[in-house]
Amino acid sequence: MLHQEYTWRAFDNTKLFAQSWQTKEKPKVVINLIHGLGEHSGRYSQWSEWFQNQNCAVLAFDLRGHGRSEGKRGYTPSYQHLMKDIDLLLKKSQLLFPDSPKILYGHSLGGNLALNYVITHHPHIAGIISTSPLLRLFQQPPEWQTLLVKNIIRIYPSFLAKTRLKATDISHNPEVVKKYKDDPLVHDLITARLYFEIQVASRLILSNKHKVSIPLLLMHGTSDRITSYNASRQFANNTSSNTTFKGWTGMYHELHNENNNAEVFNFIVNWIDQIIGNKCKINSGQLLTSER
């Protein structure tokens, strides 16, 4: 098993930390992972090793302003900077794994970014996985707060605020919650500009559902109290027949860190098997049926 770390230079010379998990064999598929707001790629190390054990490589990076990458915490000069960073992720993926099919996998904010990237950039990839995407918050902020943010951006776009995310809402697993709270690389900050641009990107995604034509696996826990399950279901119901939607009953925000995450993993691997025509060996356990 191989784990490697990288330092990439973004188009504006920002240093981005990245890492990969793979075997010595040619991977059957490469999963290009984008993490959520306030966290980092290292929180997916165990998840990535599960894919690694099935000869599915994972390549991930820390978003600018997150983890071990450079940048003010929770800040990006623009949403387009993040889009260009995903450009770099896929270019590096092609250089590292030139002969393997590629999948873009985004969680939460990463799910928002991945969907937006596919809609606007039309990458030549095998498919996209979006889990608990930030299309709408579980509790939408009042209109006055959105107007306030617009005014703040004009004066101080890098103004920092707390996300007010509750760690207990990420998973039913108390060990996961404790590790999240104790992780020095996790933060709960977001700038006015990033907050506003996520809102704009979310509206773009929800109004351009028909533009996701490649295979899409969209999954969301029905008891997610961070991002909106209903928004994900609404989006999935209006996309192409290439979309598979799976609602996980009673599960919280981080499906990959829930108590029955082995079932989630098996479902993903089965979907990958279907879209790439290769056989990534599935762990024991019954595969669940997709819901539309």
Side-chain angles (χ1 to χ4, degrees):
M1 299 294 182
L2 299 175
H3 173 246
Q4 293 182 281
E5 298 183 352
Y6 314 92
T7 299
W8 299 341
R9 288 282 184 178
F11 75 100
D12 61 351
N13 212 36
T14 298
K15 282 185 182 179
L16 301 178
F17 171 78
Q19 52 190 325
S20 64
W21 294 263
Q22 64 182 107
T23 65
K24 293 182 179 180
E25 302 175 38
K26 173 188 169 183
K28 295 178 180 179
V29 68
V30 181
I31 297 168
N32 299 276
L33 181 65
I34 311 169
H35 65 75
L37 180 66
E39 56 164 352
H40 58 94
S41 62
R43 293 193 67 240
Y44 295 79
S45 59
Q46 183 182 40
W47 191 240
S48 297
E49 287 169 4
W50 284 20
F51 285 107
Q52 183 185 27
N53 288 335
Q54 309 306 321
N55 195 28
C56 302
V58 177
L59 180 64
F61 75 107
D62 291 355
L63 295 169
R64 57 179 63 221
H66 291 76
R68 295 162 67 181
S69 289
E70 287 185 341
K72 182 176 179 178
R73 300 298 88 174
Y75 174 72
T76 180
S78 75
Y79 195 89
Q80 291 309 310
H81 281 65
L82 299 175
M83 293 289 98
K84 290 182 179 180
D85 292 344
I86 298 173
D87 270 336
L88 181 60
L89 170 67
L90 292 178
K91 287 176 182 176
K92 293 292 187 180
S93 182
Q94 183 60 24
L95 286 173
L96 291 167
F97 309 103
D99 301 319
S100 299
K102 311 297 189 296
I103 288 174
L104 195 59
Y105 181 156
H107 171 71
S108 196
L109 171 59
N112 175 301
L113 293 169
L115 287 169
N116 193 296
Y117 187 85
V118 168
I119 287 170
T120 59
H121 288 65
H122 311 290
H124 297 291
I125 56 177
I128 172 176
I129 300 170
S130 182
T131 59
S132 313
L134 179 49
L135 303 181
R136 281 199 300 264
L137 292 170
F138 174 68
Q139 291 186 324
Q140 281 291 94
E143 184 62 27
W144 66 263
Q145 186 171 318
T146 302
L147 292 173
L148 178 62
V149 171
K150 286 182 180 179
N151 290 325
I152 291 174
I153 289 172
R154 296 190 185 100
I155 305 167
Y156 190 11
S158 59
F159 173 79
L160 277 175
K162 298 277 189 178
T163 61
R164 297 182 181 178
L165 182 150
K166 294 180 180 178
T168 51
D169 287 342
I170 66 173
S171 171
H172 285 88
N173 188 328
E175 184 178 346
V176 169
V177 173
K178 184 179 186 306
K179 285 182 178 179
Y180 182 89
K181 289 179 176 179
D182 295 342
D183 191 333
L185 293 180
V186 167
H187 67 77
D188 61 349
L189 300 171
I190 187 170
T191 58
R193 178 181 291 280
L194 181 55
Y195 171 86
F196 180 73
E197 295 207 353
I198 291 171
Q199 297 268 329
V200 172
S202 297
R203 288 194 292 271
L204 183 147
I205 293 166
L206 288 169
S207 63
N208 287 276
K209 310 174 191 72
H210 61 284
K211 291 189 177 180
V212 180
S213 56
I214 63 174
L216 163 63
L217 174 59
L218 179 55
M219 304 196 299
H220 213 127
T222 62
S223 296
D224 191 338
R225 294 181 291 194
I226 297 175
T227 59
S228 171
Y229 164 81
N230 289 331
S232 288
R233 189 169 187 90
Q234 172 193 337
F235 178 88
N237 285 341
N238 292 283
T239 53
S240 74
S241 59
N242 282 331
T243 295
T244 298
F245 177 74
K246 175 61 185 172
W248 291 91
T249 303
M251 293 177 79
Y252 283 175
H253 187 62
E254 295 189 348
L255 301 175
H256 53 285
N257 280 327
E258 278 285 43
N259 291 323
N260 54 339
N261 58 358
E263 293 180 12
V264 176
F265 177 77
N266 287 343
F267 194 91
I268 293 173
V269 172
N270 185 59
W271 177 83
I272 290 173
D273 178 40
Q274 292 176 25
I275 69 163
I276 68 171
N278 288 324
K279 296 293 182 183
C280 292
K281 186 168 60 176
I282 299 172
N283 288 344
S284 60
Q286 183 178 1
L287 291 172
L288 303 183
T289 304
S290 171
E291 297 175 1
R292 285 303 305 271

